[in-house]
Amino acid sequence: MEYKNILTEVVDGNLEIIINRPEKLNAINKETIEELGRAFQAGEKDASVRVIIISGSGEKAFIAGADISEFANFSIEEGESLSAEGQKILFDIVENLTTPVIAAVNGFALGGGLELALACHVRIASANAKMGLPEVSLGVIPGYGGTQRLSQLAGKGKAMEMILTARMVDANEAHRIGLVNAVVEQVDLMDTARAMAATMKKNSPLAMASAIRAINAGFKNGVDGFKAEISEFGKCFGTDDFKEGTTAFLEKRKANF
Ligand code: COA
């Protein structure tokens, strides 16, 4: 598949996606958002891909936000459709992907950049990473799910504080408030993400997909997460992965999914 703004490579069952606009600190313009959406969906469809890792090129930024130059002159209607379209073609897709997605946050993750990291299933940050939702300093608010997902991960009070002050948090604070799962030195970031991916790849892809659906269900309006869990739990019993996993355990060998 052809992309202009991102690099993709499948290595050892991982689809590694790198946003490649280092001169703009990997700010995501419309085209990049569209390409990312396509890349994630292609990864989910590719049976050889077991985990997706997303990171930014260079040592300075994961993503410094949505491309401000693109929306500076937008009208109310254009602003609303920018938000709706972005959520539909990328951010919601990432959150609901049934292939596990790890964000390797290698520097600034601001605005839409932090929102993309928040939509991923797991986040690992390098020690130099700085994260924030500075939109109110530009006269706008987060529009790619940030008001919702930051509250879900870090709590309403912290989300209010971070969004209203437009303040960046460093990697250690992000870890302390539950924004990221781990912090490592920048040189170790991709290897740490790959090691986590390797641990995930030992597990049943179908069961991981069910787990993602069940966990996400609890955060959807009008959906009973416990009922979703019951249904996903039941579905597992009809899969070859379940037969292999339980048989392998009883035969005292490693499961081969
Ligand atoms: N949209 C468009 N371009 C951006 C961008 C964004 N979100 N973030 C950075 N860039 C561009 C800069 O305009 C600059 O381009 P130029 O060289 O053509 O002038 C280039 O990336 C480098 O950024 P610069 O600001 O010179 O780097 P810095 O090290 O001085 O500062 C940041 C880094 C991240 C603090 C600063 O770039 C910044 O505040 N960016 C905007 C963050 C933001 O508000 N994001 C939310 C958007 S809703």
Side-chain angles (χ1 to χ4, degrees):
M1 219 174 272
E2 283 302 302
Y3 303 111
K4 258 173 67 188
N5 305 284
I6 62 174
L7 306 170
T8 62
E9 193 181 5
V10 179
V11 193
D12 196 21
N14 299 333
L15 168 61
E16 298 190 359
I17 303 176
I18 308 286
I19 297 132
N20 193 28
R21 299 183 78 215
E23 70 292 347
K24 294 288 172 199
L25 300 185
N26 303 319
I28 42 175
N29 58 3
K30 194 168 182 250
E31 194 177 50
T32 309
I33 288 177
E34 182 268 321
E35 288 184 1
L36 283 168
R38 276 200 284 131
F40 276 106
Q41 284 178 299
E44 188 179 42
K45 283 198 196 92
D46 182 342
S48 73
V49 171
R50 305 282 293 268
V51 176
I52 300 177
I53 300 172
I54 177 160
S55 194
S57 67
E59 293 177 352
K60 204 171 160 186
F62 174 66
I63 302 170
D67 193 324
I68 298 168
S69 64
E70 268 191 349
F71 59 76
N73 296 318
F74 273 15
S75 66
I76 293 174
E77 291 73 25
E78 287 171 318
E80 195 171 319
S81 91
L82 180 76
S83 169
E85 190 63 13
Q87 292 195 18
K88 184 172 131 203
I89 70 169
L90 178 58
F91 295 80
D92 290 352
I93 283 178
V94 171
E95 180 171 72
N96 293 305
L97 221 67
T98 51
T99 307
V101 182
I102 301 171
V105 180
N106 58 311
F108 287 113
L110 302 174
L114 178 55
E115 289 176 293
L116 187 58
L118 293 173
C120 296
H121 301 132
V122 175
R123 286 147 293 284
I124 302 170
S126 59
N128 66 317
K130 287 210 156 59
M131 283 156 258
L133 293 178
E135 284 87 348
V136 297
S137 71
L138 298 164
V140 67
I141 67 165
Y144 291 140
T147 62
Q148 306 307 299
R149 293 191 184 103
L150 183 59
S151 309
Q152 289 166 3
L153 271 179
K156 183 178 169 187
K158 204 69 203 172
M160 284 284 186
E161 181 209 321
M162 280 182 66
I163 292 172
L164 299 182
T165 62
R167 178 173 80 85
M168 292 184 208
V169 296
D170 65 18
N172 287 331
E173 183 173 359
H175 191 213
R176 190 163 48 74
I177 65 177
L179 254 191
V180 299
N181 300 71
V183 179
V184 296
E185 288 306 316
Q186 185 161 55
V187 286
D188 300 323
L189 181 62
M190 285 308 285
D191 282 348
T192 307
R194 289 176 189 133
M196 187 183 279
T199 309
M200 291 175 176
K201 282 183 288 189
K202 291 182 187 150
N203 301 324
S204 151
L206 294 175
M208 288 195 292
S210 276
I212 291 169
R213 281 191 293 266
I215 292 168
N216 280 340
F219 294 93
K220 292 190 200 303
N221 282 338
V223 177
D224 183 333
F226 288 94
K227 276 198 183 138
E229 183 183 279
I230 291 167
S231 156
E232 293 295 339
F233 181 80
K235 267 199 263 173
C236 293
F237 287 74
T239 65
D240 288 344
D241 279 9
F242 176 70
K243 284 189 192 72
E244 169 61 12
T246 48
T247 306
F249 178 81
L250 295 172
E251 290 176 355
K252 301 194 186 305
R253 61 173 174 83
K254 283 202 172 112
N256 183 18
F257 294 115

